[in-house]
Amino acid sequence: MAENEHGSMDIKVQEEAFAGFIKWSIRVSVFSIGVLIFLALFNS
């Protein structure tokens, strides 16, 4: 069985994927809030 050293795994790809997910989530949230504000202002 192979020995495992804690902290030796390369996680660069996972970090980039997580950063992309966070960036996408923020953009969707800002867009959704913008749409809600637009509807609240111009829904008469």
Side-chain angles (χ1 to χ4, degrees):
M1 187 176 245
E3 291 296 321
N4 184 19
E5 290 183 37
H6 184 71
S8 64
M9 185 175 157
D10 183 20
I11 59 169
K12 183 175 174 119
V13 174
Q14 287 84 358
E15 288 176 345
E16 290 174 358
F18 182 72
F21 172 75
I22 295 298
K23 193 180 295 184
W24 176 83
S25 298
I26 290 171
R27 288 179 180 171
V28 168
S29 299
V30 168
F31 177 75
S32 299
I33 291 170
V35 167
L36 289 173
I37 290 172
F38 176 79
L39 289 173
L41 291 175
F42 296 106
N43 190 19
S44 337

Short mmCIF file of all heavy atoms in Angstrom, two decimals:
data_model
loop_
_atom_site.label_atom_id
_atom_site.label_comp_id
_atom_site.label_asym_id
_atom_site.label_seq_id
_atom_site.Cartn_x
_atom_site.Cartn_y
_atom_site.Cartn_z
N MET A 1 0.85 -1.18 0.00
CA MET A 1 0.00 0.00 0.00
C MET A 1 0.90 1.24 0.00
O MET A 1 1.91 1.29 0.69
CB MET A 1 -0.90 -0.04 1.22
CG MET A 1 -1.94 1.04 1.22
SD MET A 1 -3.02 0.87 2.63
CE MET A 1 -4.51 0.53 1.76
N ALA A 2 0.53 2.23 -0.76
CA ALA A 2 1.34 3.45 -0.88
C ALA A 2 1.21 4.30 0.38
O ALA A 2 0.15 4.37 1.00
CB ALA A 2 0.89 4.25 -2.09
N GLU A 3 2.32 4.90 0.73
CA GLU A 3 2.32 5.82 1.87
C GLU A 3 1.72 7.15 1.46
O GLU A 3 1.93 7.62 0.35
CB GLU A 3 3.75 6.04 2.38
CG GLU A 3 4.36 4.83 3.03
CD GLU A 3 3.63 4.43 4.29
OE1 GLU A 3 3.23 5.32 5.06
OE2 GLU A 3 3.45 3.21 4.50
N ASN A 4 0.97 7.76 2.36
CA ASN A 4 0.32 9.04 2.08
C ASN A 4 0.90 10.09 3.01
O ASN A 4 0.92 9.94 4.21
CB ASN A 4 -1.18 8.92 2.30
CG ASN A 4 -1.92 10.19 1.94
OD1 ASN A 4 -1.39 11.03 1.23
ND2 ASN A 4 -3.13 10.32 2.42
N GLU A 5 1.40 11.18 2.41
CA GLU A 5 1.90 12.31 3.19
C GLU A 5 0.87 13.42 3.15
O GLU A 5 0.46 13.86 2.08
CB GLU A 5 3.22 12.82 2.62
CG GLU A 5 4.38 11.88 2.80
CD GLU A 5 5.66 12.47 2.26
OE1 GLU A 5 5.86 13.70 2.40
OE2 GLU A 5 6.45 11.71 1.69
N HIS A 6 0.45 13.87 4.32
CA HIS A 6 -0.55 14.93 4.40
C HIS A 6 0.00 16.22 3.79
O HIS A 6 1.09 16.65 4.14
CB HIS A 6 -0.95 15.17 5.86
CG HIS A 6 -2.04 16.17 6.02
ND1 HIS A 6 -3.34 15.90 5.64
CD2 HIS A 6 -2.04 17.44 6.48
CE1 HIS A 6 -4.08 16.97 5.87
NE2 HIS A 6 -3.32 17.91 6.38
N GLY A 7 -0.76 16.82 2.88
CA GLY A 7 -0.37 18.09 2.26
C GLY A 7 0.52 17.95 1.04
O GLY A 7 1.03 18.94 0.54
N SER A 8 0.72 16.75 0.52
CA SER A 8 1.62 16.58 -0.62
C SER A 8 0.89 16.53 -1.96
O SER A 8 1.53 16.52 -3.00
CB SER A 8 2.44 15.30 -0.45
OG SER A 8 1.58 14.17 -0.45
N MET A 9 -0.43 16.52 -1.95
CA MET A 9 -1.20 16.42 -3.18
C MET A 9 -1.27 17.76 -3.89
O MET A 9 -1.42 18.81 -3.26
CB MET A 9 -2.61 15.95 -2.85
CG MET A 9 -3.49 15.70 -4.03
SD MET A 9 -5.05 15.02 -3.45
CE MET A 9 -6.09 15.46 -4.80
N ASP A 10 -1.16 17.75 -5.22
CA ASP A 10 -1.28 18.98 -6.01
C ASP A 10 -2.77 19.27 -6.20
O ASP A 10 -3.48 18.51 -6.85
CB ASP A 10 -0.60 18.80 -7.36
CG ASP A 10 -0.64 20.07 -8.20
OD1 ASP A 10 -0.84 21.15 -7.64
OD2 ASP A 10 -0.46 19.96 -9.43
N ILE A 11 -3.23 20.39 -5.64
CA ILE A 11 -4.66 20.72 -5.70
C ILE A 11 -4.91 21.99 -6.51
O ILE A 11 -5.94 22.63 -6.37
CB ILE A 11 -5.25 20.85 -4.29
CG1 ILE A 11 -4.53 21.93 -3.50
CG2 ILE A 11 -5.23 19.53 -3.57
CD1 ILE A 11 -5.21 22.30 -2.20
N LYS A 12 -3.97 22.32 -7.39
CA LYS A 12 -4.10 23.56 -8.17
C LYS A 12 -5.38 23.55 -9.03
O LYS A 12 -6.08 24.54 -9.11
CB LYS A 12 -2.87 23.74 -9.05
CG LYS A 12 -2.89 25.02 -9.85
CD LYS A 12 -1.61 25.22 -10.61
CE LYS A 12 -1.75 26.42 -11.49
NZ LYS A 12 -0.83 27.47 -11.23
N VAL A 13 -5.69 22.43 -9.65
CA VAL A 13 -6.88 22.34 -10.51
C VAL A 13 -8.15 22.53 -9.68
O VAL A 13 -9.06 23.25 -10.09
CB VAL A 13 -6.89 20.98 -11.25
CG1 VAL A 13 -8.19 20.81 -12.03
CG2 VAL A 13 -5.72 20.89 -12.19
N GLN A 14 -8.19 21.91 -8.50
CA GLN A 14 -9.36 22.05 -7.65
C GLN A 14 -9.51 23.49 -7.16
O GLN A 14 -10.64 23.99 -7.07
CB GLN A 14 -9.27 21.10 -6.45
CG GLN A 14 -9.48 19.65 -6.80
CD GLN A 14 -8.22 18.96 -7.30
OE1 GLN A 14 -7.17 19.56 -7.42
NE2 GLN A 14 -8.33 17.68 -7.61
N GLU A 15 -8.40 24.15 -6.84
CA GLU A 15 -8.46 25.55 -6.39
C GLU A 15 -8.97 26.45 -7.51
O GLU A 15 -9.76 27.37 -7.26
CB GLU A 15 -7.09 26.01 -5.92
CG GLU A 15 -6.67 25.40 -4.60
CD GLU A 15 -5.27 25.79 -4.19
OE1 GLU A 15 -4.50 26.30 -5.03
OE2 GLU A 15 -4.94 25.59 -3.00
N GLU A 16 -8.53 26.21 -8.74
CA GLU A 16 -9.00 27.01 -9.88
C GLU A 16 -10.49 26.78 -10.14
O GLU A 16 -11.23 27.72 -10.44
CB GLU A 16 -8.19 26.68 -11.13
CG GLU A 16 -6.76 27.18 -11.06
CD GLU A 16 -5.93 26.73 -12.25
OE1 GLU A 16 -6.45 25.98 -13.12
OE2 GLU A 16 -4.74 27.12 -12.30
N ALA A 17 -10.93 25.54 -10.02
CA ALA A 17 -12.35 25.23 -10.21
C ALA A 17 -13.20 25.91 -9.14
O ALA A 17 -14.26 26.47 -9.43
CB ALA A 17 -12.58 23.72 -10.20
N PHE A 18 -12.73 25.87 -7.90
CA PHE A 18 -13.47 26.51 -6.81
C PHE A 18 -13.51 28.02 -7.00
O PHE A 18 -14.57 28.64 -6.80
CB PHE A 18 -12.83 26.16 -5.47
CG PHE A 18 -13.55 26.73 -4.29
CD1 PHE A 18 -14.78 26.23 -3.91
CD2 PHE A 18 -13.02 27.79 -3.58
CE1 PHE A 18 -15.47 26.76 -2.83
CE2 PHE A 18 -13.70 28.33 -2.51
CZ PHE A 18 -14.91 27.81 -2.13
N ALA A 19 -12.41 28.62 -7.41
CA ALA A 19 -12.38 30.06 -7.67
C ALA A 19 -13.36 30.43 -8.79
O ALA A 19 -14.06 31.43 -8.71
CB ALA A 19 -10.97 30.52 -8.01
N GLY A 20 -13.42 29.61 -9.82
CA GLY A 20 -14.37 29.84 -10.91
C GLY A 20 -15.80 29.72 -10.44
O GLY A 20 -16.67 30.51 -10.84
N PHE A 21 -16.06 28.75 -9.58
CA PHE A 21 -17.41 28.57 -9.04
C PHE A 21 -17.82 29.78 -8.20
O PHE A 21 -18.95 30.28 -8.32
CB PHE A 21 -17.48 27.30 -8.20
CG PHE A 21 -18.76 27.15 -7.45
CD1 PHE A 21 -19.91 26.78 -8.12
CD2 PHE A 21 -18.82 27.39 -6.09
CE1 PHE A 21 -21.11 26.64 -7.43
CE2 PHE A 21 -20.00 27.25 -5.40
CZ PHE A 21 -21.16 26.87 -6.07
N ILE A 22 -16.93 30.27 -7.36
CA ILE A 22 -17.22 31.44 -6.53
C ILE A 22 -17.46 32.67 -7.40
O ILE A 22 -18.41 33.43 -7.18
CB ILE A 22 -16.08 31.69 -5.52
CG1 ILE A 22 -15.98 30.54 -4.52
CG2 ILE A 22 -16.27 33.01 -4.80
CD1 ILE A 22 -17.21 30.35 -3.66
N LYS A 23 -16.62 32.86 -8.42
CA LYS A 23 -16.78 34.01 -9.32
C LYS A 23 -18.12 33.93 -10.04
O LYS A 23 -18.84 34.92 -10.14
CB LYS A 23 -15.63 34.02 -10.32
CG LYS A 23 -15.52 35.31 -11.11
CD LYS A 23 -14.36 35.26 -12.08
CE LYS A 23 -13.04 35.16 -11.33
NZ LYS A 23 -11.88 35.20 -12.22
N TRP A 24 -18.49 32.75 -10.52
CA TRP A 24 -19.77 32.55 -11.21
C TRP A 24 -20.94 32.81 -10.26
O TRP A 24 -21.92 33.45 -10.64
CB TRP A 24 -19.81 31.13 -11.76
CG TRP A 24 -21.10 30.77 -12.41
CD1 TRP A 24 -21.48 31.05 -13.69
CD2 TRP A 24 -22.19 30.07 -11.80
NE1 TRP A 24 -22.74 30.55 -13.90
CE2 TRP A 24 -23.20 29.94 -12.77
CE3 TRP A 24 -22.40 29.53 -10.53
CZ2 TRP A 24 -24.41 29.31 -12.51
CZ3 TRP A 24 -23.60 28.89 -10.28
CH2 TRP A 24 -24.58 28.78 -11.25
N SER A 25 -20.83 32.33 -9.04
CA SER A 25 -21.90 32.51 -8.06
C SER A 25 -22.10 33.98 -7.73
O SER A 25 -23.24 34.44 -7.60
CB SER A 25 -21.57 31.75 -6.77
OG SER A 25 -21.49 30.38 -7.03
N ILE A 26 -21.02 34.73 -7.59
CA ILE A 26 -21.13 36.16 -7.29
C ILE A 26 -21.79 36.89 -8.46
O ILE A 26 -22.67 37.74 -8.26
CB ILE A 26 -19.74 36.75 -6.96
CG1 ILE A 26 -19.28 36.21 -5.61
CG2 ILE A 26 -19.77 38.27 -6.96
CD1 ILE A 26 -17.84 36.55 -5.27
N ARG A 27 -21.39 36.56 -9.67
CA ARG A 27 -21.98 37.22 -10.84
C ARG A 27 -23.47 36.93 -10.96
O ARG A 27 -24.27 37.84 -11.25
CB ARG A 27 -21.26 36.78 -12.12
CG ARG A 27 -19.87 37.35 -12.22
CD ARG A 27 -19.19 36.88 -13.47
NE ARG A 27 -17.84 37.46 -13.55
CZ ARG A 27 -16.94 37.10 -14.42
NH1 ARG A 27 -17.20 36.16 -15.31
NH2 ARG A 27 -15.75 37.67 -14.43
N VAL A 28 -23.87 35.69 -10.74
CA VAL A 28 -25.29 35.34 -10.80
C VAL A 28 -26.06 36.06 -9.69
O VAL A 28 -27.17 36.56 -9.92
CB VAL A 28 -25.48 33.81 -10.71
CG1 VAL A 28 -26.93 33.45 -10.48
CG2 VAL A 28 -24.95 33.15 -11.96
N SER A 29 -25.49 36.15 -8.50
CA SER A 29 -26.15 36.84 -7.39
C SER A 29 -26.33 38.32 -7.69
O SER A 29 -27.41 38.88 -7.47
CB SER A 29 -25.34 36.68 -6.11
OG SER A 29 -25.23 35.33 -5.76
N VAL A 30 -25.30 38.97 -8.20
CA VAL A 30 -25.39 40.39 -8.52
C VAL A 30 -26.41 40.62 -9.62
O VAL A 30 -27.22 41.56 -9.55
CB VAL A 30 -23.99 40.95 -8.92
CG1 VAL A 30 -24.10 42.34 -9.52
CG2 VAL A 30 -23.07 40.97 -7.71
N PHE A 31 -26.42 39.77 -10.63
CA PHE A 31 -27.39 39.90 -11.71
C PHE A 31 -28.81 39.73 -11.18
O PHE A 31 -29.71 40.50 -11.54
CB PHE A 31 -27.10 38.87 -12.81
CG PHE A 31 -28.11 38.89 -13.92
CD1 PHE A 31 -28.09 39.90 -14.87
CD2 PHE A 31 -29.07 37.89 -14.02
CE1 PHE A 31 -29.02 39.93 -15.90
CE2 PHE A 31 -30.00 37.90 -15.03
CZ PHE A 31 -29.97 38.92 -15.98
N SER A 32 -29.02 38.74 -10.32
CA SER A 32 -30.36 38.50 -9.77
C SER A 32 -30.84 39.68 -8.92
O SER A 32 -32.00 40.09 -9.02
CB SER A 32 -30.35 37.24 -8.91
OG SER A 32 -30.01 36.13 -9.70
N ILE A 33 -29.96 40.23 -8.11
CA ILE A 33 -30.32 41.39 -7.30
C ILE A 33 -30.62 42.58 -8.19
O ILE A 33 -31.57 43.33 -7.95
CB ILE A 33 -29.20 41.71 -6.29
CG1 ILE A 33 -29.14 40.60 -5.24
CG2 ILE A 33 -29.41 43.06 -5.63
CD1 ILE A 33 -27.92 40.66 -4.34
N GLY A 34 -29.84 42.75 -9.26
CA GLY A 34 -30.10 43.82 -10.21
C GLY A 34 -31.46 43.68 -10.87
O GLY A 34 -32.19 44.67 -11.03
N VAL A 35 -31.82 42.47 -11.26
CA VAL A 35 -33.13 42.23 -11.88
C VAL A 35 -34.24 42.53 -10.88
O VAL A 35 -35.25 43.16 -11.23
CB VAL A 35 -33.23 40.79 -12.41
CG1 VAL A 35 -34.66 40.43 -12.77
CG2 VAL A 35 -32.32 40.60 -13.61
N LEU A 36 -34.08 42.11 -9.64
CA LEU A 36 -35.10 42.38 -8.63
C LEU A 36 -35.26 43.88 -8.38
O LEU A 36 -36.39 44.38 -8.24
CB LEU A 36 -34.76 41.67 -7.32
CG LEU A 36 -34.92 40.15 -7.34
CD1 LEU A 36 -34.39 39.55 -6.05
CD2 LEU A 36 -36.36 39.77 -7.58
N ILE A 37 -34.15 44.62 -8.33
CA ILE A 37 -34.23 46.08 -8.15
C ILE A 37 -34.91 46.71 -9.35
O ILE A 37 -35.76 47.60 -9.20
CB ILE A 37 -32.83 46.66 -7.91
CG1 ILE A 37 -32.32 46.23 -6.54
CG2 ILE A 37 -32.84 48.18 -8.01
CD1 ILE A 37 -30.87 46.57 -6.27
N PHE A 38 -34.56 46.27 -10.56
CA PHE A 38 -35.18 46.80 -11.77
C PHE A 38 -36.70 46.56 -11.74
O PHE A 38 -37.47 47.47 -12.04
CB PHE A 38 -34.55 46.14 -13.00
CG PHE A 38 -35.19 46.55 -14.30
CD1 PHE A 38 -34.88 47.77 -14.88
CD2 PHE A 38 -36.13 45.73 -14.92
CE1 PHE A 38 -35.47 48.14 -16.07
CE2 PHE A 38 -36.72 46.09 -16.10
CZ PHE A 38 -36.39 47.32 -16.69
N LEU A 39 -37.09 45.36 -11.38
CA LEU A 39 -38.53 45.05 -11.32
C LEU A 39 -39.23 45.88 -10.25
O LEU A 39 -40.37 46.31 -10.45
CB LEU A 39 -38.74 43.56 -11.06
CG LEU A 39 -38.40 42.63 -12.23
CD1 LEU A 39 -38.48 41.18 -11.79
CD2 LEU A 39 -39.30 42.89 -13.41
N ALA A 40 -38.56 46.09 -9.13
CA ALA A 40 -39.19 46.87 -8.05
C ALA A 40 -39.36 48.32 -8.46
O ALA A 40 -40.35 48.97 -8.11
CB ALA A 40 -38.32 46.79 -6.80
N LEU A 41 -38.42 48.87 -9.23
CA LEU A 41 -38.49 50.28 -9.64
C LEU A 41 -39.47 50.52 -10.78
O LEU A 41 -40.15 51.55 -10.82
CB LEU A 41 -37.10 50.77 -10.05
CG LEU A 41 -36.08 50.90 -8.93
CD1 LEU A 41 -34.72 51.29 -9.50
CD2 LEU A 41 -36.52 51.91 -7.88
N PHE A 42 -39.54 49.58 -11.73
CA PHE A 42 -40.31 49.84 -12.95
C PHE A 42 -41.56 48.97 -13.07
O PHE A 42 -42.14 48.90 -14.16
CB PHE A 42 -39.41 49.65 -14.17
CG PHE A 42 -38.28 50.64 -14.22
CD1 PHE A 42 -36.99 50.23 -13.92
CD2 PHE A 42 -38.51 51.96 -14.53
CE1 PHE A 42 -35.95 51.12 -13.96
CE2 PHE A 42 -37.47 52.87 -14.57
CZ PHE A 42 -36.18 52.45 -14.27
N ASN A 43 -41.99 48.35 -12.03
CA ASN A 43 -43.20 47.53 -12.09
C ASN A 43 -44.40 48.34 -11.58
O ASN A 43 -44.82 48.23 -10.45
CB ASN A 43 -43.01 46.25 -11.25
CG ASN A 43 -44.13 45.28 -11.49
OD1 ASN A 43 -44.82 45.37 -12.48
ND2 ASN A 43 -44.29 44.34 -10.56
N SER A 44 -44.93 49.17 -12.48
CA SER A 44 -46.10 49.96 -12.07
C SER A 44 -47.25 49.79 -13.04
O SER A 44 -47.18 49.60 -14.16
CB SER A 44 -45.82 51.44 -12.05
OG SER A 44 -44.54 51.83 -11.90
#
